[in-house]
Amino acid sequence: MAKELSKSITSIQPSATLAIDAKAKALKAAGSDVVGFGAGEPDFDTPAHIIDAAIEAMKQGKTRYTPASGTLELRKAICAKLKRDNGLTYEPAQIVVSNGAKHSLFNALSAICNPGDEVILPAPYWVSYYELIKMTGATPVLVTTTKESEFLATVSQLQAATTDKTKAIILNSPCNPTGAVYSKEQLREIADYAVKNDIYVISDEIYESLVYGSATHTSIASFNDAIKDLTIVVNGLSKAYAMTGWRIGYTASNAAIAKAMGNLQSHATSNPNSIAQAASIAALEGDQTPMLEMVKEFSKRKDYMMQRVEAISGISAPTPKGAFYVFADISELFGKKCDGKEITCAMDFADMLLEKHNTAVVPGEAFGDKRYIRLAYATSIESIRKGMDRIEAFVASLV
Ligand code: PMP
Ligand code: GLU
């Protein structure tokens, strides 16, 4: 008989977002005409000057190990970015560059959590937070937000969820999957609460550049030194620069946490890819126009997708203020049937939609709410049109 595997690792659920993306990509590769609203992955190519910088880095021999926490040049470029965009002053020793922001989140949680700790997680939450918290032996404590409260957690909710075991709060603004963006005032209140109660804040700001209309991004670490000391800012290049495959994310934190994360990483993965690091300097320091153009395009796509969602009876969604997802409530359709099979949850809806109409969406179960589906609009207007035509036809066919 095979020996038992690790209990903590075998309890991990696979990433639903990546699984759906893989399924949609496999169907596409097999010749199926699939529309993918699944993965949160920009469809744009990485801007040319970033690719050129990677080629140049290889030619210059930047093909060797770098310091485990990233090259000094990249960490300096990240410090300059945090100063320029977020008004935050950090030293390179406070920056850890990792293999994507997901890895940064893993490092951050591993550095601060002990088994038995609790981490407050506003729900709906991005799928990986829940599992990443569990991997450290800590427990996720959910704070439920609703579309009526614009999917924003309040201090009184945080208060109700706080115990003497509370170690950290995870904040994700702009939010995946809801598109919610916290205002400066709301963040200031949360910052004051965290400081008063000595709770760490893991602030995932990976969608910071993707804000629309009057919404603006503020880093919670920017209010004062006390909250800055408690905050681990998480960010990365994947979304803003269409660099998902390059795998570069980073954290900014107090020096003790940065050292702990650097030590962990030095044994687990060593440095992130040296060529991708060199390219990331070009992304952060170079021409920001391609990034701004992508944001404009995402904004147009959001408007178009919202217009289509609003025209479908039985589906409703708040207008996203940031990121690139529409989080749509489909619960009015529960009880309806497709080919005699009843829709009881978002998973049923997503399965039938993919099977019957070749359109991939992520069911809200992955984010802690089975009444919703997540539609990523990180795809062309033509694909959005095609996919929304199919969703419209699917909903109309339900009896
Ligand atoms: N945080 C959020 C909220 C995300 O949606 C993602 C998407 N991949 C990540 C972190 C991780 O990004 P990456 O690892 O590609 O840098
Ligand atoms: N973050 C993206 C998403 O939510 C990409 C997939 C993943 O990293 O989970 O779809």
Side-chain angles (χ1 to χ4, degrees):
M1 215 169 93
K3 285 206 192 300
E4 188 193 17
L5 302 183
S6 150
K7 286 190 182 65
S8 61
I9 301 304
T10 48
S11 78
I12 298 169
Q13 297 302 309
S15 162
T17 44
L18 291 182
I20 285 154
D21 185 46
K23 197 169 171 181
K25 282 179 179 157
L27 284 167
K28 221 176 226 171
S32 189
D33 175 28
V34 171
V35 176
F37 291 151
E41 172 166 46
D43 58 325
F44 301 109
D45 290 330
T46 303
H49 69 280
I50 301 175
I51 292 180
D52 291 345
I55 295 168
E56 197 46 39
M58 283 188 276
K59 286 188 181 157
Q60 285 177 12
K62 294 186 177 170
T63 51
R64 299 196 162 81
Y65 292 137
T66 76
S69 297
T71 62
L72 184 59
E73 293 86 337
L74 176 54
R75 284 181 290 132
K76 277 186 180 165
I78 290 168
C79 289
K81 178 261 172 247
L82 290 165
K83 183 90 198 150
R84 175 187 76 204
D85 298 344
N86 311 105
L88 291 166
T89 306
Y90 287 101
E91 297 297 323
Q94 296 174 278
I95 308 298
V96 177
V97 185
S98 301
N99 302 289
K102 199 179 276 188
H103 185 210
S104 302
L105 286 161
F106 174 75
N107 285 344
L109 285 158
S110 303
I112 61 173
C113 289
N114 286 308
D117 286 347
E118 294 176 352
V119 177
I120 298 179
L121 178 60
Y125 49 80
W126 175 52
V127 60
S128 291
Y129 297 135
Y130 195 88
E131 298 297 331
L132 287 167
I133 294 168
K134 282 197 323 188
M135 280 182 214
T136 67
T139 306
V141 175
L142 300 183
V143 159
T144 304
T145 69
T146 60
K147 65 176 175 199
E148 290 70 31
S149 60
E150 295 185 40
F151 293 116
L152 298 167
T154 61
V155 165
S156 57
Q157 283 184 302
L158 299 178
Q159 216 155 14
T162 303
T163 71
D164 55 4
K165 294 184 185 141
T166 305
K167 185 53 94 47
I169 301 169
I170 295 191
L171 275 188
N172 175 215
S173 179
C175 175
N176 174 6
T178 64
V181 176
Y182 285 82
S183 71
K184 197 168 185 172
E185 293 65 38
Q186 286 159 332
L187 286 173
R188 194 188 295 275
E189 282 177 24
I190 295 174
D192 290 347
Y193 180 75
V195 169
K196 202 164 134 208
N197 293 279
D198 202 24
I199 300 172
Y200 287 118
V201 176
I202 296 180
S203 179
D204 182 345
E205 304 181 10
I206 193 147
Y207 294 103
E208 72 162 325
S209 57
L210 300 172
V211 286
Y212 312 112
S214 59
T216 53
H217 171 78
T218 303
S219 175
I220 192 166
S222 65
F223 295 120
N224 52 55
D225 285 346
I227 186 64
K228 184 175 168 223
D229 194 53
L230 283 171
T231 302
I232 305 175
V233 175
V234 175
N235 208 328
L237 285 282
S238 289
K239 314 291 174 176
Y241 298 99
M243 291 176 68
T244 46
W246 298 69
R247 310 308 303 132
I248 296 292
Y250 57 87
T251 50
S253 66
N254 74 40
I257 295 177
K259 190 161 188 291
M261 292 190 290
N263 290 347
L264 168 64
Q265 182 162 302
S266 75
H267 291 294
T269 63
S270 299
N271 60 276
N273 180 294
S274 60
I275 301 148
Q277 287 192 64
S280 296
I281 298 174
L284 294 171
E285 291 183 344
D287 183 10
Q288 301 296 302
T289 320
M291 188 260 274
L292 298 172
E293 289 301 320
M294 288 190 258
V295 177
K296 266 196 219 154
E297 185 57 31
F298 282 132
S299 183
K300 279 191 215 151
R301 295 168 176 190
K302 164 193 62 88
D303 291 343
Y304 177 66
M305 187 178 259
M306 279 307 297
Q307 188 191 318
R308 294 296 306 265
V309 166
E310 280 165 2
I312 302 176
S313 130
I315 304 190
S316 63
T319 302
K321 295 193 172 141
F324 39 52
Y325 309 99
V326 167
F327 201 51
D329 185 350
I330 55 152
S331 59
E332 264 188 55
L333 302 171
F334 293 172
K336 294 202 172 212
K337 288 184 180 155
C338 167
D339 287 350
K341 192 170 180 292
E342 187 177 330
I343 297 180
T344 61
C345 58
M347 190 79 84
D348 289 344
F349 182 97
D351 280 348
M352 293 179 204
L353 181 67
L354 185 56
E355 196 181 307
K356 305 271 172 206
H357 293 266
N358 267 343
T359 302
V361 303
V362 184
E365 281 87 341
F367 313 109
D369 199 327
K370 66 175 188 182
R371 294 169 301 175
Y372 289 82
I373 53 168
R374 192 193 74 177
L375 306 165
Y377 49 87
T379 186
S380 69
I381 292 269
E382 295 69 50
S383 293
I384 298 175
R385 179 172 297 118
K386 202 193 244 184
M388 292 311 299
D389 284 348
R390 292 177 183 181
I391 293 178
E392 197 165 57
F394 175 58
V395 172
S397 74
L398 300 174
V399 286

